[in-house]
Every structure is written in C-alpha cells, then in structure tokens.
Amino acid sequence: MADFLLIYQGGDPTWRERPPAQIEAAMQAWSEWFKQLEATGNLRNPGAPLAPGGAALRRNGQGIRTDTVMAEIKELIGGYSVIAADSLEHATELAKGCPFLRNNPDGTVVVRPILQMG
C-alpha cells in the first residue's frame, strides 16, 4: 500500500460559528469515517483542520519575502488527512466517503500520492 494526502479545499472558513449541534454532528461524521478507515487499515493520520492566517514565503532575489496577507491564495485549504491505499483509484474511492464533501457542496478533495523517499 502507498500513502496518499487528502487536501480539503473550498471549505467554509466560518464553520466554527455554526450552531453547536451542527458542529457536533459534523465532528461525529468525521469520527465515524476515521474509525472506518482505521478498521480497514487505511488511516495513516487523520490530519487536522488548518487555523486561519499563516504566512507565505517567497524568494525574491534579495532574500526571502514573507507575506502574511496571502491574497494570492485563491482556494482555501481547510485541512488534510493521510490515508493508505493500493492505488490512486482506491484512494479516490476512499476519499468519496469523506464528510467534507457532504458538508461543503462546492468543496474539493484533492488526492495526491506521497512519494516514498528511500
């Protein structure tokens, strides 16, 4: 089996402002999905949602420039997980069960193979 990174894009950055019952239901769905992946040996790391803010570093010819506004980022990356699967197709099938897609109809889950070094 190989490892795959699931990148959750286009989520709702205000999700923590939802009513507590909605947040609890969403967290329960994530918990159940992770338990299913763990039971089948496909969960490597449940990952985490990403907090707002951050910094983007870019080499600009005279050193490194830090941009904390990050206005050039067009798609919000809301979080990530790492799963194990037999192929990209298998990883894609596993990702289809992700609660992110149910909670964010306009969201995207990007499935990327992780290159094994060494």
Side-chain angles (χ1 to χ4, degrees):
M1 274 206 249
D3 290 346
F4 293 84
L5 178 66
L6 305 183
I7 305 166
Y8 309 119
Q9 295 180 327
D12 178 4
T14 64
W15 67 272
R16 295 193 311 169
E17 298 169 15
R18 293 180 182 174
Q22 284 184 4
I23 294 173
E24 187 174 326
M27 297 309 288
Q28 182 63 34
W30 280 98
S31 178
E32 290 172 8
W33 187 60
F34 289 140
K35 285 178 185 175
Q36 288 175 339
L37 290 173
E38 188 173 41
T40 58
N42 296 106
L43 182 64
R44 290 284 195 246
N45 183 336
L50 300 179
L57 304 177
R58 179 175 296 138
R59 191 156 184 82
N60 67 3
Q62 299 178 12
I64 296 178
R65 187 183 89 198
T66 302
D67 180 0
T68 58
V69 178
M70 298 188 295
E72 69 278 3
I73 296 177
K74 294 181 173 70
E75 297 176 342
L76 170 69
I77 297 175
Y80 68 95
S81 298
V82 179
I83 62 171
D86 295 323
S87 64
L88 177 60
E89 293 76 19
H90 182 214
T92 301
E93 282 302 312
L94 293 170
K96 287 179 182 178
C98 174
F100 181 81
L101 296 172
R102 289 191 299 270
N103 297 333
N104 298 284
D106 295 327
T108 302
V109 176
V110 177
V111 181
R112 297 286 310 267
I114 297 174
L115 184 61
Q116 299 300 315
M117 303 295 286

